């Protein structure tokens, strides 16, 4: 039968601290990456994206870093707030037409 | 108010029953997608459609069917052949220009009675 649900990796962060969420991707030919935020019972929400010709991209309170050498992606959230508590997914474009491959996600818990 | 809507929010299926999940978007997006999400796991692609009247199987299409008669709508039917349908179902869409950036609806949770 289908496997039982897995426990997600959890990152516990104190309010006001910076968060770093990591993601290892699988396909060295992937040329586009996205981070999504998913709150409980809701659909994923786009946060930020980056193409493979860049190493870093910044948004509002978020920064994405791409290390193609080791196939690693990270999302940094500055001054983490209670509203940042959610599951964060990375996704890579693995096909020419835009098919996305999603990671399992990281649960971020912000403590006061 | 632009976006993607999914209905119903919760859906209950009896044994042997087919059920249809609705997905509508008013973003004028060409491509639409259906994903399944199980607890503690990433999203898995069921079906996708890049244009009206055309759709392709994703990674886990068995036991599901779709149609794309209108640009705005991409309904998913969970058939009785899907033996473990309990999951959270997510619909997404993307534009032709920004094909990779998919925007998601709020999801439908399907439960089996």
């Amino acid at each position: 039968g289908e496997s039982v649900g897995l426990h997600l990796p959890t990152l516990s962060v104190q309010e006001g601290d910076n968060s770093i969420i990591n993601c290892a991707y699988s396909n060295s030919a992937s040329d586009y990456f996205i981070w999504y935020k998913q709150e409980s019972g809701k659909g994923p929400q786009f946060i930020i994206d980056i193409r493979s010709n860049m190493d870093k991209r910044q948004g509002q309170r978020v920064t994405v870093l791409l290390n193609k050498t080791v196939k690693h992606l990270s999302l940094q959230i500055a001054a983490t707030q209670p509203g940042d508590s959610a599951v964060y997914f990375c996704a890579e474009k693995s096909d020419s037409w835009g098919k996305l491959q999603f990671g399992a996600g990281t649960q971020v818990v912000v403590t006061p | 108010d632009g976006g993607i809507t999914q209905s119903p929010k919760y859906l209950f299926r009896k044994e042997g029953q087919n059920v249809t999940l609705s997905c509508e978007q008013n973003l004028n997006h060409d491509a639409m997608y259906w994903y399944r999400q199980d607890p503690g796991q990433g999203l898995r692609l069921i079906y996708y459609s890049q244009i009206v009247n055309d759709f392709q199987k994703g990674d886990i299409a068995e036991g599901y069917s779709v149609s794309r008669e209108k640009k705005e709508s991409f309904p998913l039917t969970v058939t009785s052949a899907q033996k473990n349908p309990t999951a959270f179902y997510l619909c997404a869409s993307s534009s032709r220009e920004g094909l990779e950036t998919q925007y998601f609806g709020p999801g439908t949770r399907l439960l089996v009675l």
Side-chain angles (χ1 to χ4, degrees):
Chain A
E2 210 159 314
S3 60
V4 177
L6 305 171
H7 290 291
L8 289 174
T10 299
L11 176 68
S12 187
V13 183
Q14 200 152 15
E15 184 177 354
D17 287 352
N18 296 336
S19 306
I20 300 177
I21 306 162
N22 296 305
C23 179
Y25 63 92
S26 56
N27 190 345
S28 56
S30 293
D31 60 358
Y32 178 73
F33 305 87
I34 306 179
W35 279 100
Y36 287 95
K37 170 186 179 183
Q38 187 177 26
E39 296 175 76
S40 182
K42 297 184 179 179
Q45 177 187 355
F46 173 88
I47 303 174
I48 192 167
D49 58 1
I50 188 168
R51 296 199 178 275
S52 59
N53 60 354
M54 301 172 71
D55 297 323
K56 179 180 179 179
R57 190 162 188 225
Q58 286 185 288
Q60 189 176 10
R61 270 200 317 120
V62 293
T63 301
V64 55
L65 298 177
L66 176 62
N67 185 331
K68 295 180 285 292
T69 303
V70 294
K71 291 190 287 185
H72 184 266
L73 194 67
S74 69
L75 177 71
Q76 300 178 2
I77 305 173
T80 312
Q81 301 168 1
D84 294 327
S85 292
V87 175
Y88 290 80
F89 293 96
C90 65
E92 61 180 300
K93 191 188 81 166
S94 61
D95 224 317
S96 58
W97 65 267
K99 179 181 175 182
L100 295 178
Q101 199 73 29
F102 288 84
T106 297
Q107 175 82 56
V108 172
V109 177
V110 181
T111 56
Chain B
D1 203 15
I4 304 171
T5 57
Q6 291 185 241
S7 62
K9 187 170 182 177
Y10 296 95
L11 186 57
F12 298 90
R13 193 191 90 163
K14 295 178 182 178
E15 291 287 339
Q17 188 181 39
N18 292 353
V19 291
T20 298
L21 285 62
S22 168
C23 178
E24 304 276 332
Q25 54 98 2
N26 61 4
L27 301 168
N28 199 33
H29 283 172
D30 292 292
M32 297 186 75
Y33 314 80
W34 274 106
Y35 291 89
R36 171 181 171 136
Q37 185 176 33
D38 292 283
Q41 297 188 35
L43 280 63
R44 292 184 290 168
L45 183 64
I46 305 173
Y47 268 98
Y48 63 96
S49 168
Q50 293 179 272
I51 198 166
V52 175
N53 292 322
D54 185 56
F55 50 83
Q56 306 294 330
K57 291 182 180 180
D59 300 319
I60 55 165
E62 187 175 347
Y64 300 97
S65 66
V66 293
S67 63
R68 186 87 187 277
E69 296 175 5
K70 297 187 299 182
K71 187 176 185 178
E72 309 80 43
S73 179
F74 191 40
L76 173 75
T77 297
V78 183
T79 74
S80 57
Q82 174 48 246
K83 297 307 178 188
N84 187 16
T86 298
F88 191 45
Y89 290 87
L90 289 158
C91 178
S93 69
S94 62
S95 67
R96 187 186 298 276
E97 292 74 30
L99 198 60
E100 312 100 333
T101 309
Q102 297 177 20
Y103 297 92
F104 286 83
T108 292
R109 189 165 299 280
L110 177 60
L111 300 164
V112 176
L113 294 175

